[in-house]
Amino acid sequence: SIDKLFKPISRQTLTKKFISSANVIFDEAIKKLLPFKYVRVAIDAGKIRKTPYLNVIISNCFSNECTNVLKTIENFGGTGADYEKKF
């Protein structure tokens, strides 16, 4: 049975491991930006399946490998007041 191959873990343990793994991946991606003299911050608002999002991305224009999403805001209104509130 599958339980013999993979020991079941709690949802809380899975969440902790997922967050820890995501942090390692993010840290490694940020390290790739360190050699560059300049980086940019891009802000992109749009919709995915009718849900509005705001993405904040950091990258280097000379390398496609160094693009990192810093923050994603779901249900973003898109008004000037919404931008001021989020930044």
Side-chain angles (χ1 to χ4, degrees):
S1 99
I2 193 77
D3 290 341
K4 290 181 182 177
L5 290 173
F6 299 101
K7 183 179 175 186
I9 60 173
S10 71
R11 184 173 289 175
Q12 184 178 15
T13 301
L14 176 65
T15 299
K16 285 180 182 179
K17 287 184 176 188
F18 184 81
I19 291 170
S20 177
S21 294
N23 286 334
V24 168
I25 292 167
F26 182 80
D27 290 345
E28 289 299 316
I30 291 294
K31 284 180 188 175
K32 289 180 182 179
L33 285 171
L34 292 177
F36 294 104
K37 186 174 181 179
Y38 301 105
V39 295
R40 64 182 172 191
V41 175
I43 299 170
D44 178 46
K47 289 185 178 181
I48 300 174
R49 295 185 186 151
K50 298 182 182 179
T51 303
Y53 289 94
L54 175 71
N55 291 304
V56 181
I57 301 160
I58 187 169
S59 65
N60 177 275
C61 62
F62 301 114
S63 174
N64 290 331
E65 295 180 25
C66 298
T67 300
N68 298 299
V69 177
L70 294 178
K71 186 157 184 113
T72 297
I73 300 165
E74 191 175 1
N75 295 316
F76 180 69
T79 66
D82 291 327
Y83 280 96
E84 284 183 25
K85 197 183 310 179
K86 297 301 178 186
F87 295 102

Coordinates of all heavy atoms in Angstrom, one line a residue:
S1 N 0.8 -1.2 0.0 CA 0.0 0.0 0.0 C 0.9 1.2 0.0 O 2.1 1.2 0.3 CB -1.0 0.0 1.2 OG -0.5 0.7 2.3
I2 N 0.3 2.3 -0.4 CA 1.0 3.6 -0.4 C 1.5 4.1 0.9 O 2.6 4.7 1.0 CB 0.1 4.7 -1.1 CG1 1.0 5.9 -1.5 CG2 -1.0 5.1 -0.2 CD1 1.8 5.8 -2.7
D3 N 0.8 3.7 2.0 CA 1.2 4.1 3.3 C 2.6 3.5 3.7 O 3.3 4.0 4.6 CB 0.2 3.8 4.4 CG -1.1 4.6 4.3 OD1 -1.0 5.7 3.6 OD2 -2.1 4.2 4.8
K4 N 2.9 2.3 3.2 CA 4.1 1.7 3.4 C 5.3 2.4 2.7 O 6.4 2.4 3.2 CB 4.1 0.2 3.1 CG 3.2 -0.6 4.0 CD 3.1 -2.1 3.6 CE 2.2 -2.9 4.4 NZ 2.1 -4.3 4.0
L5 N 5.0 2.9 1.5 CA 6.0 3.6 0.7 C 6.3 5.0 1.3 O 7.4 5.4 1.4 CB 5.6 3.7 -0.7 CG 5.6 2.4 -1.5 CD1 5.0 2.6 -2.9 CD2 7.0 1.8 -1.6
F6 N 5.2 5.7 1.6 CA 5.3 7.1 2.1 C 4.6 7.2 3.4 O 3.4 7.0 3.5 CB 4.7 8.1 1.1 CG 5.4 8.0 -0.3 CD1 4.8 7.3 -1.3 CD2 6.6 8.7 -0.5 CE1 5.4 7.3 -2.6 CE2 7.2 8.6 -1.7 CZ 6.6 7.9 -2.8
K7 N 5.3 7.6 4.4 CA 4.7 7.7 5.7 C 3.9 9.0 5.7 O 4.3 10.1 5.3 CB 5.8 7.9 6.8 CG 5.3 8.0 8.2 CD 6.4 8.1 9.2 CE 5.8 8.3 10.6 NZ 6.8 8.6 11.6
P8 N 2.6 8.9 6.1 CA 1.7 10.0 6.1 C 2.2 11.1 7.1 O 2.8 10.8 8.1 CB 0.4 9.5 6.6 CG 0.4 8.0 6.4 CD 1.9 7.7 6.5
I9 N 2.1 12.4 6.7 CA 2.5 13.5 7.6 C 1.3 14.4 7.7 O 0.4 14.4 6.9 CB 3.7 14.3 7.0 CG1 3.4 14.9 5.6 CG2 4.9 13.4 7.0 CD1 4.5 15.8 5.1
S10 N 1.3 15.2 8.8 CA 0.2 16.1 9.0 C 0.2 17.3 8.0 O 1.2 17.6 7.4 CB 0.3 16.6 10.5 OG 1.4 17.5 10.6
R11 N -0.9 17.9 7.9 CA -1.0 19.1 7.0 C -0.1 20.2 7.5 O 0.6 20.9 6.7 CB -2.4 19.6 7.0 CG -2.6 20.7 6.1 CD -4.1 21.1 5.9 NE -4.7 20.0 5.2 CZ -6.0 20.0 5.0 NH1 -6.8 20.9 5.5 NH2 -6.6 19.0 4.3
Q12 N 0.1 20.3 8.8 CA 1.0 21.3 9.4 C 2.4 21.1 9.0 O 3.2 22.0 8.7 CB 0.8 21.4 10.9 CG 1.6 22.5 11.6 CD 1.3 22.6 13.1 OE1 0.8 21.7 13.7 NE2 1.8 23.7 13.7
T13 N 2.8 19.8 9.1 CA 4.2 19.4 8.8 C 4.4 19.6 7.3 O 5.5 20.2 6.9 CB 4.5 17.9 9.1 OG1 4.3 17.8 10.5 CG2 5.9 17.5 8.8
L14 N 3.5 19.3 6.5 CA 3.6 19.5 5.0 C 3.7 21.0 4.7 O 4.6 21.4 3.9 CB 2.3 18.9 4.3 CG 2.3 19.2 2.8 CD1 3.5 18.5 2.1 CD2 1.0 18.8 2.2
T15 N 2.9 21.8 5.4 CA 3.0 23.3 5.2 C 4.4 23.8 5.6 O 5.0 24.6 4.8 CB 1.9 24.0 6.0 OG1 0.6 23.5 5.5 CG2 2.0 25.5 5.8
K16 N 4.9 23.4 6.7 CA 6.2 23.8 7.2 C 7.3 23.4 6.2 O 8.2 24.2 5.8 CB 6.5 23.3 8.5 CG 5.8 23.9 9.6 CD 6.1 23.3 11.0 CE 5.3 24.0 12.1 NZ 5.6 23.4 13.4
K17 N 7.2 22.2 5.7 CA 8.2 21.7 4.7 C 8.1 22.5 3.4 O 9.1 22.8 2.8 CB 8.1 20.2 4.5 CG 8.6 19.4 5.7 CD 8.5 17.9 5.4 CE 9.1 17.1 6.5 NZ 9.2 15.7 6.2
F18 N 6.9 22.7 3.0 CA 6.7 23.5 1.7 C 7.2 24.9 1.8 O 7.9 25.3 0.9 CB 5.2 23.5 1.4 CG 4.8 24.1 0.1 CD1 4.9 23.4 -1.1 CD2 4.4 25.5 0.1 CE1 4.6 24.0 -2.3 CE2 4.1 26.1 -1.2 CZ 4.2 25.3 -2.3
I19 N 7.0 25.6 2.9 CA 7.5 26.9 3.1 C 9.0 26.9 3.2 O 9.7 27.8 2.6 CB 6.8 27.6 4.4 CG1 5.3 27.8 4.1 CG2 7.5 28.9 4.8 CD1 4.5 28.3 5.3
S20 N 9.5 26.0 3.9 CA 11.0 25.9 4.0 C 11.6 25.7 2.7 O 12.6 26.3 2.3 CB 11.4 24.7 5.0 OG 12.7 24.6 5.1
S21 N 11.1 24.8 1.9 CA 11.6 24.5 0.5 C 11.5 25.8 -0.3 O 12.4 26.1 -1.1 CB 10.9 23.3 -0.1 OG 11.1 22.2 0.6
A22 N 10.4 26.4 -0.3 CA 10.2 27.7 -1.1 C 11.2 28.7 -0.7 O 11.7 29.4 -1.5 CB 8.8 28.2 -0.9
N23 N 11.5 28.8 0.6 CA 12.5 29.8 1.1 C 13.9 29.5 0.6 O 14.6 30.4 0.2 CB 12.5 29.9 2.6 CG 11.3 30.6 3.2 OD1 10.7 31.5 2.5 ND2 10.9 30.3 4.4
V24 N 14.2 28.2 0.5 CA 15.5 27.8 0.0 C 15.6 28.2 -1.5 O 16.6 28.7 -2.0 CB 15.8 26.3 0.2 CG1 17.0 25.8 -0.6 CG2 15.9 26.0 1.7
I25 N 14.6 27.9 -2.2 CA 14.5 28.2 -3.7 C 14.7 29.7 -3.9 O 15.4 30.2 -4.7 CB 13.3 27.6 -4.3 CG1 13.3 26.1 -4.3 CG2 13.1 28.2 -5.7 CD1 12.0 25.4 -4.7
F26 N 13.9 30.5 -3.1 CA 13.9 31.9 -3.2 C 15.3 32.5 -2.9 O 15.9 33.3 -3.6 CB 12.9 32.6 -2.3 CG 12.8 34.1 -2.4 CD1 12.2 34.7 -3.5 CD2 13.5 34.9 -1.5 CE1 12.1 36.0 -3.6 CE2 13.4 36.2 -1.6 CZ 12.7 36.8 -2.6
D27 N 15.9 32.0 -1.8 CA 17.3 32.5 -1.4 C 18.3 32.1 -2.5 O 19.2 33.0 -2.8 CB 17.7 31.8 -0.1 CG 16.9 32.4 1.1 OD1 16.2 33.4 0.9 OD2 16.9 31.7 2.2
E28 N 18.2 31.0 -3.1 CA 19.1 30.6 -4.2 C 18.9 31.5 -5.4 O 19.9 31.9 -6.0 CB 19.0 29.1 -4.6 CG 19.5 28.2 -3.5 CD 20.9 28.3 -3.2 OE1 21.8 28.4 -4.2 OE2 21.3 28.3 -2.0
A29 N 17.7 31.8 -5.7 CA 17.4 32.7 -6.8 C 18.0 34.1 -6.6 O 18.5 34.8 -7.5 CB 15.9 32.8 -7.1
I30 N 17.8 34.6 -5.3 CA 18.3 35.9 -5.0 C 19.9 36.0 -5.1 O 20.5 36.9 -5.5 CB 17.9 36.4 -3.6 CG1 16.4 36.6 -3.6 CG2 18.6 37.6 -3.1 CD1 15.9 37.8 -4.4
K31 N 20.5 34.9 -4.7 CA 22.0 34.8 -4.8 C 22.5 35.0 -6.2 O 23.5 35.5 -6.4 CB 22.5 33.5 -4.2 CG 22.5 33.4 -2.7 CD 23.0 32.0 -2.2 CE 22.8 31.9 -0.7 NZ 23.2 30.5 -0.3
K32 N 21.6 34.5 -7.2 CA 22.0 34.7 -8.6 C 22.0 36.1 -9.0 O 22.7 36.5 -9.9 CB 21.0 33.9 -9.5 CG 21.2 32.4 -9.4 CD 20.2 31.7 -10.3 CE 20.3 30.2 -10.2 NZ 19.3 29.6 -11.1
L33 N 21.3 37.0 -8.3 CA 21.3 38.4 -8.6 C 22.4 39.2 -8.0 O 22.8 40.3 -8.5 CB 20.0 39.1 -8.1 CG 18.7 38.7 -8.9 CD1 17.5 39.2 -8.1 CD2 18.8 39.4 -10.3
L34 N 23.1 38.7 -7.0 CA 24.1 39.4 -6.3 C 25.3 39.8 -7.2 O 25.8 40.9 -7.0 CB 24.7 38.6 -5.1 CG 23.7 38.4 -4.0 CD1 24.2 37.5 -2.9 CD2 23.2 39.7 -3.4
P35 N 25.7 39.0 -8.2 CA 26.8 39.5 -9.0 C 26.5 40.7 -9.9 O 27.4 41.3 -10.4 CB 27.2 38.2 -9.9 CG 26.5 37.1 -9.2 CD 25.4 37.6 -8.5
F36 N 25.3 40.9 -10.2 CA 24.9 42.0 -11.1 C 24.9 43.4 -10.4 O 24.6 43.5 -9.2 CB 23.5 41.8 -11.6 CG 23.4 40.6 -12.5 CD1 22.8 39.4 -12.0 CD2 23.9 40.6 -13.8 CE1 22.7 38.3 -12.9 CE2 23.8 39.5 -14.6 CZ 23.2 38.3 -14.1
K37 N 25.4 44.4 -11.1 CA 25.5 45.7 -10.5 C 24.1 46.3 -10.4 O 23.9 47.1 -9.4 CB 26.4 46.6 -11.4 CG 26.7 47.9 -10.8 CD 27.7 48.7 -11.7 CE 28.0 50.0 -11.1 NZ 29.0 50.8 -11.9
Y38 N 23.2 46.0 -11.3 CA 21.9 46.6 -11.3 C 20.8 45.6 -11.4 O 21.0 44.5 -12.0 CB 21.7 47.6 -12.5 CG 22.7 48.7 -12.5 CD1 23.8 48.7 -13.4 CD2 22.6 49.8 -11.7 CE1 24.7 49.7 -13.5 CE2 23.5 50.8 -11.7 CZ 24.5 50.8 -12.6 OH 25.4 51.8 -12.6
V39 N 19.7 45.8 -10.7 CA 18.5 45.0 -10.8 C 17.3 45.9 -11.0 O 17.4 47.1 -10.7 CB 18.3 44.1 -9.6 CG1 19.4 43.0 -9.4 CG2 18.2 44.8 -8.3
R40 N 16.2 45.4 -11.4 CA 15.0 46.2 -11.5 C 13.9 45.6 -10.8 O 13.8 44.4 -10.5 CB 14.7 46.3 -13.0 CG 14.3 45.0 -13.6 CD 14.0 45.1 -15.1 NE 13.9 43.7 -15.6 CZ 13.8 43.5 -16.9 NH1 13.9 44.5 -17.8 NH2 13.7 42.3 -17.3
V41 N 12.9 46.4 -10.4 CA 11.7 45.9 -9.8 C 10.6 46.2 -10.8 O 10.4 47.4 -11.3 CB 11.4 46.7 -8.5 CG1 10.1 46.3 -7.9 CG2 12.5 46.3 -7.5
A42 N 9.8 45.2 -11.2 CA 8.7 45.4 -12.1 C 7.4 45.1 -11.4 O 7.3 44.2 -10.5 CB 8.9 44.4 -13.2
I43 N 6.4 45.9 -11.7 CA 5.1 45.8 -11.1 C 4.1 45.5 -12.2 O 4.1 46.2 -13.2 CB 4.7 47.1 -10.3 CG1 5.7 47.3 -9.2 CG2 3.3 47.0 -9.8 CD1 5.5 48.7 -8.6
D44 N 3.4 44.4 -12.1 CA 2.5 44.0 -13.1 C 1.1 43.7 -12.5 O 1.1 42.8 -11.7 CB 3.1 42.8 -13.9 CG 2.2 42.3 -15.0 OD1 1.6 43.1 -15.7 OD2 2.0 41.1 -15.0
A45 N 0.1 44.3 -13.0 CA -1.3 44.0 -12.6 C -2.0 43.4 -13.7 O -1.9 43.8 -14.9 CB -2.0 45.3 -12.1
G46 N -2.8 42.4 -13.4 CA -3.6 41.7 -14.5 C -4.6 40.8 -13.9 O -4.7 40.7 -12.6
K47 N -5.2 40.0 -14.7 CA -6.2 39.1 -14.2 C -5.9 37.7 -14.8 O -5.4 37.5 -15.9 CB -7.6 39.4 -14.8 CG -8.2 40.6 -14.1 CD -9.6 40.9 -14.6 CE -10.2 42.1 -13.8 NZ -11.6 42.3 -14.2
I48 N -6.1 36.7 -13.9 CA -6.0 35.3 -14.3 C -7.4 34.7 -13.9 O -7.8 34.7 -12.7 CB -4.9 34.6 -13.5 CG1 -3.5 35.2 -13.9 CG2 -4.9 33.1 -13.9 CD1 -2.4 34.7 -13.1
R49 N -8.1 34.2 -14.9 CA -9.4 33.6 -14.7 C -10.3 34.5 -13.9 O -10.9 34.2 -12.9 CB -9.3 32.2 -14.0 CG -8.6 31.2 -14.9 CD -8.7 29.9 -14.2 NE -7.9 28.9 -15.0 CZ -7.3 27.9 -14.5 NH1 -7.4 27.6 -13.2 NH2 -6.6 27.1 -15.3
K50 N -10.4 35.8 -14.3 CA -11.2 36.8 -13.7 C -10.8 37.3 -12.3 O -11.4 38.1 -11.7 CB -12.7 36.4 -13.7 CG -13.2 36.1 -15.1 CD -14.7 35.8 -15.0 CE -15.2 35.5 -16.4 NZ -16.7 35.1 -16.4
T51 N -9.7 36.7 -11.8 CA -9.2 37.2 -10.5 C -8.1 38.2 -10.7 O -7.1 37.8 -11.3 CB -8.7 36.0 -9.6 OG1 -9.7 35.0 -9.5 CG2 -8.2 36.4 -8.3
P52 N -8.2 39.4 -10.2 CA -7.2 40.4 -10.4 C -6.0 40.2 -9.4 O -6.1 39.8 -8.2 CB -7.9 41.7 -10.0 CG -9.0 41.4 -9.2 CD -9.4 39.9 -9.5
Y53 N -4.8 40.3 -10.0 CA -3.5 40.1 -9.2 C -2.6 41.3 -9.5 O -2.6 42.0 -10.5 CB -2.8 38.9 -9.7 CG -3.4 37.6 -9.3 CD1 -4.3 36.9 -10.2 CD2 -3.2 37.0 -8.1 CE1 -4.9 35.7 -9.8 CE2 -3.7 35.8 -7.7 CZ -4.6 35.2 -8.6 OH -5.2 34.0 -8.3
L54 N -1.7 41.5 -8.5 CA -0.6 42.4 -8.6 C 0.6 41.6 -8.3 O 0.7 41.0 -7.2 CB -0.8 43.6 -7.7 CG 0.4 44.6 -7.6 CD1 0.5 45.4 -8.9 CD2 0.4 45.5 -6.5
N55 N 1.6 41.6 -9.2 CA 2.8 40.9 -9.0 C 4.0 41.9 -8.9 O 4.1 42.9 -9.7 CB 3.1 39.9 -10.1 CG 2.2 38.8 -10.1 OD1 2.0 38.1 -9.1 ND2 1.5 38.6 -11.2
V56 N 4.9 41.7 -7.9 CA 6.1 42.5 -7.8 C 7.2 41.6 -8.1 O 7.4 40.6 -7.4 CB 6.2 43.2 -6.4 CG1 7.4 44.0 -6.3 CG2 4.9 44.0 -6.1
I57 N 8.0 41.9 -9.1 CA 9.1 41.0 -9.5 C 10.4 41.8 -9.5 O 10.5 43.0 -9.8 CB 8.8 40.6 -11.0 CG1 7.4 39.9 -11.0 CG2 9.9 39.8 -11.6 CD1 6.8 39.8 -12.4
I58 N 11.5 41.1 -9.1 CA 12.8 41.6 -9.2 C 13.6 40.8 -10.2 O 13.5 39.6 -10.2 CB 13.5 41.7 -7.8 CG1 14.8 42.4 -7.8 CG2 13.7 40.3 -7.2 CD1 15.4 42.7 -6.5
S59 N 14.4 41.5 -11.0 CA 15.2 40.8 -12.0 C 16.3 41.6 -12.5 O 16.5 42.8 -12.2 CB 14.2 40.4 -13.2 OG 13.8 41.6 -13.9
N60 N 17.1 41.0 -13.4 CA 18.2 41.7 -14.1 C 17.9 41.6 -15.6 O 17.6 40.5 -16.1 CB 19.5 41.1 -13.8 CG 20.6 41.7 -14.6 OD1 20.9 41.4 -15.7 ND2 21.3 42.7 -14.0
C61 N 17.9 42.7 -16.3 CA 17.5 42.7 -17.7 C 18.4 42.0 -18.6 O 18.1 41.7 -19.7 CB 17.3 44.2 -18.1 SG 18.8 45.1 -18.1
F62 N 19.6 41.6 -18.1 CA 20.6 40.9 -18.9 C 20.5 39.4 -18.7 O 21.3 38.6 -19.3 CB 22.0 41.4 -18.7 CG 22.1 42.8 -19.0 CD1 22.4 43.7 -18.0 CD2 22.0 43.3 -20.3 CE1 22.5 45.1 -18.3 CE2 22.1 44.7 -20.6 CZ 22.4 45.6 -19.6
S63 N 19.7 38.9 -17.8 CA 19.6 37.5 -17.5 C 18.2 37.1 -17.2 O 17.5 37.6 -16.3 CB 20.5 37.2 -16.3 OG 20.3 35.8 -15.9
N64 N 17.6 36.2 -18.0 CA 16.3 35.7 -17.8 C 16.3 34.7 -16.6 O 15.2 34.3 -16.1 CB 15.8 35.0 -19.0 CG 15.5 36.0 -20.1 OD1 15.2 37.1 -19.9 ND2 15.6 35.6 -21.4
E65 N 17.4 34.2 -16.2 CA 17.4 33.2 -15.1 C 17.3 33.8 -13.7 O 17.0 33.1 -12.8 CB 18.8 32.5 -15.1 CG 19.0 31.6 -16.4 CD 20.4 30.9 -16.3 OE1 20.9 30.7 -15.2 OE2 20.9 30.6 -17.4
C66 N 17.3 35.1 -13.6 CA 17.3 35.8 -12.3 C 16.0 36.5 -12.1 O 16.1 37.6 -11.4 CB 18.5 36.7 -12.3 SG 20.1 35.9 -12.4
T67 N 14.9 36.0 -12.5 CA 13.7 36.7 -12.2 C 13.0 36.0 -11.0 O 12.8 34.8 -10.9 CB 12.7 36.5 -13.5 OG1 13.4 37.2 -14.6 CG2 11.4 37.2 -13.2
N68 N 12.6 36.9 -10.0 CA 12.0 36.4 -8.8 C 10.8 37.2 -8.5 O 10.8 38.4 -8.5 CB 13.0 36.5 -7.6 CG 14.3 35.8 -7.8 OD1 14.2 34.6 -7.9 ND2 15.4 36.5 -7.9
V69 N 9.7 36.4 -8.1 CA 8.5 37.1 -7.7 C 8.7 37.4 -6.2 O 8.9 36.5 -5.4 CB 7.3 36.2 -7.9 CG1 6.0 36.8 -7.4 CG2 7.1 35.9 -9.4
L70 N 8.6 38.7 -5.9 CA 8.8 39.1 -4.5 C 7.5 39.0 -3.7 O 7.4 38.7 -2.6 CB 9.3 40.5 -4.4 CG 10.7 40.8 -4.9 CD1 11.1 42.3 -4.8 CD2 11.7 40.0 -4.1
K71 N 6.4 39.4 -4.4 CA 5.1 39.4 -3.8 C 4.0 39.3 -4.8 O 4.1 39.8 -5.9 CB 4.9 40.6 -3.0 CG 3.6 40.6 -2.2 CD 3.8 41.6 -1.0 CE 2.5 41.5 -0.1 NZ 2.7 41.0 1.1
T72 N 2.9 38.5 -4.5 CA 1.7 38.4 -5.4 C 0.6 38.8 -4.5 O 0.4 38.2 -3.4 CB 1.6 37.0 -5.9 OG1 2.7 36.7 -6.8 CG2 0.3 36.9 -6.7
I73 N -0.2 39.8 -4.9 CA -1.4 40.2 -4.2 C -2.6 39.8 -5.0 O -2.8 40.3 -6.1 CB -1.3 41.7 -4.0 CG1 0.0 42.1 -3.2 CG2 -2.6 42.3 -3.3 CD1 0.3 43.6 -3.2
E74 N -3.4 39.0 -4.4 CA -4.7 38.5 -5.0 C -5.8 39.5 -4.7 O -5.8 40.2 -3.7 CB -5.0 37.2 -4.4 CG -6.1 36.5 -5.2 CD -6.4 35.1 -4.6 OE1 -5.7 34.6 -3.7 OE2 -7.2 34.4 -5.2
N75 N -6.8 39.6 -5.7 CA -7.9 40.5 -5.6 C -7.5 42.0 -5.5 O -8.0 42.7 -4.7 CB -8.8 40.1 -4.4 CG -9.5 38.7 -4.6 OD1 -9.9 38.4 -5.7 ND2 -9.5 37.9 -3.6
F76 N -6.5 42.3 -6.3 CA -6.0 43.7 -6.3 C -7.0 44.6 -7.1 O -7.4 44.3 -8.2 CB -4.6 43.7 -7.0 CG -4.0 45.1 -7.1 CD1 -3.6 45.7 -5.9 CD2 -3.9 45.7 -8.3 CE1 -3.0 47.0 -6.0 CE2 -3.3 46.9 -8.4 CZ -2.9 47.6 -7.2
G77 N -7.4 45.7 -6.5 CA -8.4 46.6 -7.1 C -7.9 47.3 -8.3 O -8.6 47.6 -9.3
G78 N -6.6 47.8 -8.3 CA -6.1 48.5 -9.5 C -6.2 50.0 -9.5 O -5.8 50.6 -10.4
T79 N -6.8 50.5 -8.5 CA -6.9 52.0 -8.4 C -5.7 52.6 -7.8 O -4.8 51.9 -7.2 CB -8.1 52.4 -7.5 OG1 -7.9 52.0 -6.2 CG2 -9.4 51.8 -8.0
G80 N -5.5 53.9 -8.0 CA -4.4 54.6 -7.4 C -4.3 54.4 -5.9 O -3.3 54.2 -5.3
A81 N -5.5 54.4 -5.2 CA -5.5 54.2 -3.8 C -5.1 52.8 -3.4 O -4.4 52.6 -2.4 CB -7.0 54.4 -3.3
D82 N -5.4 51.8 -4.3 CA -5.0 50.4 -4.0 C -3.5 50.3 -4.1 O -2.8 49.6 -3.3 CB -5.6 49.4 -5.0 CG -7.1 49.3 -4.8 OD1 -7.6 49.4 -3.7 OD2 -7.8 49.1 -5.8
Y83 N -2.9 51.0 -5.1 CA -1.4 51.0 -5.2 C -0.8 51.6 -4.0 O 0.2 51.1 -3.4 CB -0.9 51.7 -6.5 CG -1.0 50.9 -7.7 CD1 -2.1 51.0 -8.5 CD2 0.0 50.0 -8.1 CE1 -2.2 50.2 -9.7 CE2 -0.1 49.3 -9.2 CZ -1.2 49.4 -10.0 OH -1.2 48.6 -11.2
E84 N -1.3 52.8 -3.5 CA -0.8 53.4 -2.3 C -0.9 52.6 -1.1 O 0.0 52.5 -0.3 CB -1.5 54.7 -2.1 CG -1.1 55.8 -3.0 CD -1.8 57.2 -2.8 OE1 -2.3 57.4 -1.6 OE2 -2.0 58.0 -3.7
K85 N -2.0 51.9 -1.0 CA -2.2 51.0 0.2 C -1.2 49.8 0.2 O -0.7 49.5 1.3 CB -3.7 50.4 0.1 CG -4.1 49.9 1.4 CD -5.5 49.3 1.3 CE -6.5 50.2 0.7 NZ -7.9 49.6 0.5
K86 N -0.9 49.3 -0.9 CA 0.0 48.1 -1.0 C 1.4 48.5 -0.9 O 2.3 47.7 -0.5 CB -0.3 47.3 -2.3 CG -1.7 46.7 -2.4 CD -2.0 45.8 -1.2 CE -3.4 45.3 -1.3 NZ -3.8 44.5 -0.1
F87 N 1.8 49.7 -1.3 CA 3.2 50.1 -1.2 C 3.4 51.2 -0.2 O 4.4 51.7 0.1 CB 3.7 50.6 -2.6 CG 3.7 49.5 -3.6 CD1 2.6 49.4 -4.6 CD2 4.6 48.6 -3.6 CE1 2.6 48.4 -5.5 CE2 4.6 47.6 -4.6 CZ 3.6 47.5 -5.5

